[in-house]
């Protein structure tokens, strides 16, 4: 995991432009415009510097240019000491444990380094894999918001999950 660089843009585009990712995520469109990647890298970098969000690129250890996906704490609220866990992974790496490993590292970072009290996440209810990753990372289902998002002309239910500091501390002991 590391911060993004402009040189990563083409590698990122190859992943985020895949329909399989877009159809199971709330925020990623399809088709994904190539120029949006350049803007997004600057946006993510600025948010990181301002402490608003901490998104990191996931790259293979044995091949540093092989982009695997993204994991981060977004919408970090200093006022309320919370943040939202967000991630996407290249479909070739689904069910390999990489997403869970990345999410657990970001959760640890959020509680240890940022002093957060709560970390929450959400996913479309049809995205069983993302829900499972969050549960394996310690988040618990807090509810289902029916018809919360409109994706490609269809309303989708969204699962909301969360973990608070005391639960995270208990899982570490």
């Amino acid at each position: 995991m590391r911060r993004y660089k402009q040189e990563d843009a083409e590698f990122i585009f190859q992943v985020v432009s895949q329909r399989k990712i877009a159809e199971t995520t709330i925020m990623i469109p399809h088709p994904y415009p190539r120029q949006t990647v350049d803007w997004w890298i600057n946006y993510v970098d600025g948010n990181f510097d301002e402490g608003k969000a901490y998104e990191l690129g996931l790259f293979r250890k044995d091949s540093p240019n092989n982009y695997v996906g993204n994991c981060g704490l977004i919408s970090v609220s200093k006022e309320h000491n919370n943040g939202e866990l967000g991630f996407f992974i290249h479909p070739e790496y689904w069910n390999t444990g990489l997403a869970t490993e990345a999410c657990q590292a970001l959760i640890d970072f959020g509680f240890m380094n940022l002093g957060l009290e709560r970390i929450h996440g959400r996913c479309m209810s049809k995205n069983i894999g993302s829900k499972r990753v969050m549960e394996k990372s310690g988040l618990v289902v807090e509810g289902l918001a029916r018809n919360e998002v409109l994706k490609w002309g269809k309303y989708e239910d969204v699962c909301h999950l969360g973990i608070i500091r005391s639960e995270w501390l208990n899982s570490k002991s």
Side-chain angles (χ1 to χ4, degrees), residues 43-131:
Y43 175 76
V44 165
D45 199 42
N47 281 340
F48 200 106
D49 291 340
E50 294 172 21
K52 294 179 180 177
Y54 301 88
E55 292 190 68
L56 299 169
L58 308 176
F59 296 83
R60 286 182 48 155
K61 292 174 189 172
D62 61 344
S63 178
N65 288 333
N66 195 336
Y67 183 68
V68 175
N70 175 76
C71 189
L73 291 171
I74 59 174
S75 304
V76 172
S77 170
K78 293 176 183 170
E79 178 183 1
H80 300 292
N81 293 321
N82 67 46
E84 181 177 352
L85 181 67
F87 60 94
F88 62 84
I89 300 290
H90 189 300
E92 287 181 15
Y93 296 94
W94 289 356
N95 300 309
T96 64
L98 289 173
T100 302
E101 181 182 346
C103 287
Q104 288 171 344
L106 261 294
I107 291 167
D108 290 349
F109 172 78
F111 287 125
M112 289 190 307
N113 298 79
L114 302 179
L116 299 180
E117 172 59 24
R118 170 178 160 73
I119 295 174
H120 55 97
R122 60 194 179 123
C123 63
M124 283 191 247
S125 62
K126 69 181 181 183
N127 191 341
I128 308 290
S130 285
K131 180 176 175 267

Side-chain angles (χ1 to χ4, degrees), residues 4-5 8 11-12 18 23 26 31 42 50 57 72 77 87 96 103 110 117-119 129 137 139 156 166:
Y4 287 101
K5 301 182 281 192
D8 300 327
F11 305 118
I12 295 167
Q18 293 185 42
E23 66 191 10
I26 295 169
N42 290 327
E50 294 172 21
S77 170
F87 60 94
T96 64
C103 287
E117 172 59 24
R118 170 178 160 73
I119 295 174
S137 299
L139 282 73
E156 298 284 350
S166 61

Side-chain angles (χ1 to χ4, degrees), residues 9-26:
E10 192 56 39
F11 305 118
I12 295 167
F13 178 69
Q14 296 303 316
V15 175
V16 297
S17 62
Q18 293 185 42
R19 183 176 177 89
K20 276 181 129 176
I21 290 177
E23 66 191 10
T24 57
T25 59
I26 295 169

Side-chain angles (χ1 to χ4, degrees), residues 135-147:
E135 289 174 325
K136 285 163 84 174
S137 299
L139 282 73
V140 296
V141 175
E142 297 178 330
L144 177 72
R146 298 176 301 146
N147 288 0

